[in-house]
Every structure is written in structure tokens, then in C-alpha cells.
């Protein structure tokens, strides 16, 4: 018998509002957009095609590396290739994909079009809250560690 929480379509957990920038957008403009929209990631496009993603951690890394935010382009720091996941698949499949890729976000596709973004922490929290899974110390998100 499959646990109902684990068979929940991923589309119920994803953020459906996706923010984009072009690959030649400066890091300053990317940072401003992320702050303005209160989001943690932005999908990078090359024309009509989504080719990468930038997270707030990528931007922090760029700061620590001393990159010039008025010169460096999104394409220079984005994570690529984009890790995508089908909207019709379930939570268990998504957690396996996170584990396989080591990524913290999956771009959710429906019929080949971007329809959302799923954060690993959201997927882990939902699975943990559903009581369907016990996390190992290695994979548990920091806010949920105890002791």
C-alpha cells in the first residue's frame, strides 16, 4: 500500500510563480529582482529556452569571490544544466531526484513548459510532517535537526 503523502503530485508543493532573467542579465539586476520578489531563485533563459538557475547561495558565493555585480552576467554563475522534473510525478520521485543530483531546486515541467520550482527543503519538510519518512542526519534539513 503506497502512502498517500508520498503519492501526492509534486504540483501541490511547488511554487507556481517562476521568475526569469536572460543569461546576459548582470548579477546586480538578478539580485535586485530576487530581493524585490522575495524569492530564493531565478530561472535563467536563453531566448525562449530555460538553461540554468541562480539561487541566493550562488549570489553569496559570487560576493565572496569578489565578482563585480555590474559586469558579471547570469550565465557565468548559473547552475546548469537545469534539473527538471515532471509535474505529474510524486514526492518520493522528487526526493530521489534531489538525492541523485545534489541540487536544492528542481524546475517543474508540464508538457515541456516550466510551471514551477520545487525546493528540496519544502519536499523534505512535507515528507517529514507527513510522518512517512525518517531522515538520516546526513539528509535532514538543518531547521529540523534536534539536539
Amino acid at each position: 500500500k503506497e502512502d498517500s503523502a508520498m503519492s501526492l503530485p509534486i504540483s501541490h508543493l511547488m511554487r507556481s510563480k517562476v521568475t526569469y532573467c536572460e543569461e546576459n542579465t548582470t548579477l546586480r539586476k538578478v539580485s535586485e529582482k530576487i530581493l524585490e520578489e522575495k524569492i530564493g531563485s531565478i530561472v535563467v533563459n536563453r531566448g525562449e529556452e530555460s538553461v540554468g538557475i541562480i539561487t541566493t547561495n550562488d549570489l553569496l558565493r559570487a560576493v565572496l569571490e569578489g565578482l563585480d555585480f555590474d559586469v558579471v552576467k547570469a550565465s557565468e554563475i548559473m547552475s546548469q544544466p537545469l534539473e527538471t522534473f515532471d509535474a505529474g510525478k510524486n514526492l518520493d520521485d522528487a526526493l530521489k531526484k534531489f538525492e541523485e543530483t545534489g541540487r536544492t531546486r528542481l524546475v517543474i515541467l508540464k508538457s515541456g513548459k516550466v510551471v514551477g520550482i520545487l525546493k528540496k527543503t519544502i519536499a523534505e519538510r512535507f515528507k517529514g510532517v507527513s510522518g512517512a519518512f525518517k531522515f538520516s542526519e546526513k539528509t535532514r534539513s538543518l531547521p529540523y535537526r534536534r539536539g
Side-chain angles (χ1 to χ4, degrees), residues 53-110:
I53 190 166
I54 295 175
T55 66
T56 51
N57 280 349
D58 294 325
L59 292 169
L60 280 172
R61 202 171 294 110
V63 167
L64 292 173
E65 291 172 8
L67 300 182
D68 185 338
F69 273 48
D70 292 313
V71 175
V72 177
K73 307 289 189 231
S75 61
E76 296 176 60
I77 73 157
M78 68 185 181
S79 294
Q80 60 179 337
L82 205 55
E83 291 296 344
T84 60
F85 192 76
D86 186 81
K89 290 192 173 179
N90 65 33
L91 178 59
D92 213 24
D93 293 332
L95 288 166
K96 284 179 190 147
K97 177 92 173 199
F98 280 124
E99 200 68 34
E100 290 166 11
T101 63
R103 297 285 175 89
T104 59
R105 286 174 177 77
L106 295 175
V107 174
I108 309 302
L109 303 179
K110 186 173 189 174

Side-chain angles (χ1 to χ4, degrees), residues 43-58:
V43 174
V44 182
N45 283 349
R46 179 179 298 135
E48 294 294 308
E49 185 186 3
S50 296
V51 293
I53 190 166
I54 295 175
T55 66
T56 51
N57 280 349
D58 294 325

